[in-house]
Amino acid sequence: MKNRSVELVANAGAIHSVGDGFRVHTFFPSSYRLDMYRMSPFILLDYNPKIHFAPSQTPRGVGVHPHRGFETVTIAYKGKVQHHDSSGGGGVIEEGDVQWMTAASGVLHKEYHEEEWSKKGGDFQMVQLWVNLPAKDKMSAPKYQALKSAEINKYKIDDAGSEIGVIAGDFNGVKGSAVTFSPVNLLNIKLKSGTELPLSFPEKFNTALLVIEGEVLVNGTEKVLADSLALMANDGEGFKIKAVNDSVVLVLSGEPINEPLVAHGPFVMNTKQEIIQAFQDFENGKFGYLED
Ligand code: MN
């Protein structure tokens, strides 16, 4: 098996606000080598590194907005996010939980710090990933998969506490908890200090790892610190990660969807005409109604 090498390591440098509740670094799409296609089927990765929010009686967050043409995957590492959508759904994403929202033909939603959490304040750390949908599924019905921490299928590495939460795809026979539209692996890996883990994905699968906590060595040589993303090259299958200290690493790997993309704000479609249609449908209330 040919080894997969590290193509680049990027850290969460520039932070911007999404609404007033999310302070994120957009690892991709970005200005350098990570455009909208490079990590397909993953089209956006926003990372809120651990940031302390002071108590607030009014929950911070982002108001009503639409999405169409893809899925949003929200992973809470610290803090709690409350969400509501135009289909009447809603819920709280707590620490360790994953919300896999298929926006597909369209939803309106809002995302805020959970009310009680907001009153106390605290450390907040979050990932939001956008997963593209194949053209044939972009206008399918919206749905949610609310994956509670305890329900996410686990692969146990050892008795010391190293384990893999298989959010999507599979790992050594453990199936992912989320249903996906195209081949996607999303692994939340907890590694105790000194533990080494071999990983392997088909060469053409676009693959990256985001270090949430700790520090890892990739292939024994490339040091990747917390709040950094390592993009793996498509030059092999297998690679190894070793925890330098107790670490949490999010690994994403998926088969690219080789279709043209036209993106405008919260809409990601295949043609300009479909984007114009999305705006028209939004203006005409076809995404439903949700109070701010
Ligand atoms: Mn959203």
Side-chain angles (χ1 to χ4, degrees), residues 65 67 109 111 128:
H65 59 280
H67 292 290
H109 77 161
E111 299 155 278
Q128 191 170 89

Side-chain angles (χ1 to χ4, degrees), residues 12-275:
I15 301 281
H16 65 272
S17 291
V18 178
D20 63 0
F22 303 89
R23 304 271 298 146
V24 308
H25 176 74
T26 302
F27 278 106
F28 58 85
S30 73
S31 49
Y32 47 116
R33 285 148 83 186
L34 281 159
D35 66 12
M36 205 170 38
Y37 296 94
R38 177 60 188 89
M39 272 299 292
S40 174
F42 310 102
I43 47 181
L44 175 142
L45 174 57
D46 268 355
Y47 174 56
N48 189 133
K50 196 187 293 168
I51 283 170
H52 186 85
F53 279 94
S56 172
Q57 291 303 309
T58 312
R60 300 177 178 93
V62 51
V64 177
H65 59 280
H67 292 290
R68 173 180 280 181
F70 58 95
E71 302 182 287
T72 66
V73 180
T74 306
I75 307 170
Y77 286 101
K78 297 277 178 204
K80 295 181 184 181
V81 172
Q82 192 153 15
H83 65 97
H84 295 278
D85 71 84
S86 48
S87 72
V92 179
I93 309 164
E94 301 190 50
E95 290 184 10
D97 296 351
V98 177
Q99 186 216 48
W100 198 294
M101 182 183 85
T102 305
S105 64
V107 293
L108 291 180
H109 77 161
K110 53 185 180 180
E111 299 155 278
Y112 284 95
H113 295 174
E114 190 269 333
E115 220 170 320
E116 293 308 311
W117 186 89
S118 179
K119 285 176 187 166
K120 294 191 199 98
D123 284 343
F124 191 81
Q125 188 175 21
M126 208 73 45
V127 164
Q128 191 170 89
L129 191 60
W130 290 9
V131 182
N132 193 23
L133 288 171
K136 66 176 174 53
D137 298 314
K138 280 188 179 287
M139 291 302 283
S140 60
K143 66 171 183 176
Y144 284 102
Q145 299 175 75
L147 310 172
K148 301 303 285 180
S149 175
E151 296 163 2
I152 294 170
N153 298 332
K154 306 289 189 314
Y155 177 88
K156 192 174 160 185
I157 298 170
D158 59 30
D159 289 327
S162 296
E163 64 169 28
I164 302 178
V166 187
I167 301 168
D170 74 275
F171 185 85
N172 283 4
V174 175
K175 291 280 165 221
S177 297
V179 176
T180 65
F181 286 79
S182 68
V184 167
N185 293 289
L186 192 58
L187 307 175
N188 191 56
I189 303 174
K190 290 178 187 164
L191 286 184
K192 289 290 174 189
S193 179
T195 308
E196 189 171 55
L197 177 74
L199 291 163
S200 182
F201 305 103
E203 186 168 329
K204 70 172 177 180
F205 277 35
N206 291 323
T207 302
L209 56 99
L210 175 64
V211 178
I212 305 290
E213 294 272 354
E215 177 183 336
V216 301
L217 266 185
V218 182
N219 292 335
T221 52
E222 302 282 341
K223 188 191 268 196
V224 188
L225 305 175
D227 303 333
S228 298
L229 180 97
L231 170 69
M232 303 305 294
N234 294 77
D235 59 354
E237 296 172 350
F239 60 102
K240 285 180 185 161
I241 56 176
K242 184 178 183 179
V244 175
N245 40 47
D246 290 357
S247 299
V248 177
V249 181
L250 181 69
V251 171
L252 34 154
S253 181
E255 184 176 54
I257 297 171
N258 292 317
E259 295 171 347
L261 290 180
V262 182
H264 204 292
F267 307 129
V268 182
M269 304 301 288
N270 303 112
T271 67
K272 194 179 167 192
Q273 184 50 44
E274 288 169 341
I275 293 291

